[in-house]
Amino acid sequence: DTILYRLGLTHGFGRGLLFGVLSTVPMFAGYAVIGSFNRETPPDHMFTFIVVAGFFEELIFRGFVFGELFRTARWGFLPAAYQGDDLISASAAFGVTAAGSIFFSWIYVESGNNLWSVIWLHTLMNAPWMLFSVSGSGAVGGLRANGLRLCTLLIAIALVVIYKKRKGLPYHISGKTLIINRQYV
């Protein structure tokens, strides 16, 4: 196996892009309606937050850390997704970060370890958040902004479920892989 293959970068670029675009339609459309175009953030900051953060967070945390802990070290899905080395650090990280980590890790595994799916989804979720001013409360967001985020998450989950059903593919995350990964993915 090459490192690019193990990370999930050798396949699914176009499928990942389509997945990300379809999933984030509610955020782009909704934020354009409820927010105003952000003219204050410099383009280099936008690029860093949207593209660099989305790409490198997924490359490092999903492709490398989660992927190797889950597949190679055979950690269970939850311990590998939390990436906390003890109960206190795992609990402290839970909140938004852990929920996002679990969500993106699930998408990564169930899309056939296609890192492009989570890179595009993460990047395209960052984009409307930066392009439109929809929250005065930072990363947490308000009720309407988070409702649109939830729609995006539900569409992403539905797309994975539909893909798995149409292809007749089994789910890799199950009771057998939540705590200890007893199967190679």
Side-chain angles (χ1 to χ4, degrees):
D1 291 349
T2 68
I3 187 73
L4 294 178
Y5 176 79
R6 291 205 49 84
L7 291 171
L9 291 170
T10 60
H11 59 284
F13 180 87
R15 191 175 80 221
L17 175 59
L18 180 61
F19 173 77
V21 167
L22 292 175
S23 296
T24 57
V25 166
M27 288 179 69
F28 276 99
Y31 287 12
V33 170
I34 69 171
S36 59
F37 190 74
N38 180 354
R39 298 184 195 300
E40 296 178 21
T41 305
D44 60 327
H45 288 112
M46 288 245 187
F47 179 79
T48 299
F49 183 81
I50 295 169
V51 178
V52 175
F55 180 83
F56 284 103
E57 284 178 27
E58 296 311 322
L59 179 69
I60 293 165
F61 293 109
R62 235 64 58 212
F64 182 70
V65 176
F66 170 81
E68 292 305 306
L69 290 175
F70 186 68
R71 285 190 311 271
T72 305
R74 300 173 71 76
W75 283 26
F77 176 76
L78 290 177
Y82 278 132
Q83 299 165 16
D85 55 1
D86 59 35
L87 183 58
I88 294 171
S89 65
S91 297
F94 183 71
V96 173
T97 303
S101 179
I102 291 169
F103 173 74
F104 286 122
S105 296
W106 183 82
I107 296 290
Y108 175 62
V109 171
E110 297 301 349
S111 69
N113 299 321
N114 178 359
L115 193 59
W116 291 112
S117 291
V118 290
I119 286 172
W120 282 116
L121 181 60
H122 192 154
T123 300
L124 292 170
M125 287 179 76
N126 286 353
W129 192 259
M130 287 300 294
L131 293 173
F132 301 100
S133 298
V134 293
S135 172
S137 58
V140 175
L143 185 60
R144 293 186 305 170
N146 283 322
L148 292 165
R149 274 182 178 169
L150 179 60
C151 288
T152 290
L153 302 179
L154 293 174
I155 289 171
I157 291 167
L159 289 172
V160 169
V161 169
I162 290 166
Y163 170 76
K164 295 275 225 193
K165 284 188 179 198
R166 285 193 175 160
K167 297 284 185 179
L169 298 172
Y171 289 93
H172 295 291
I173 307 305
S174 67
K176 294 179 181 179
T177 60
L178 278 183
I179 306 303
I180 298 171
N181 185 2
R182 300 194 190 283
Q183 65 183 24
Y184 179 77
V185 178

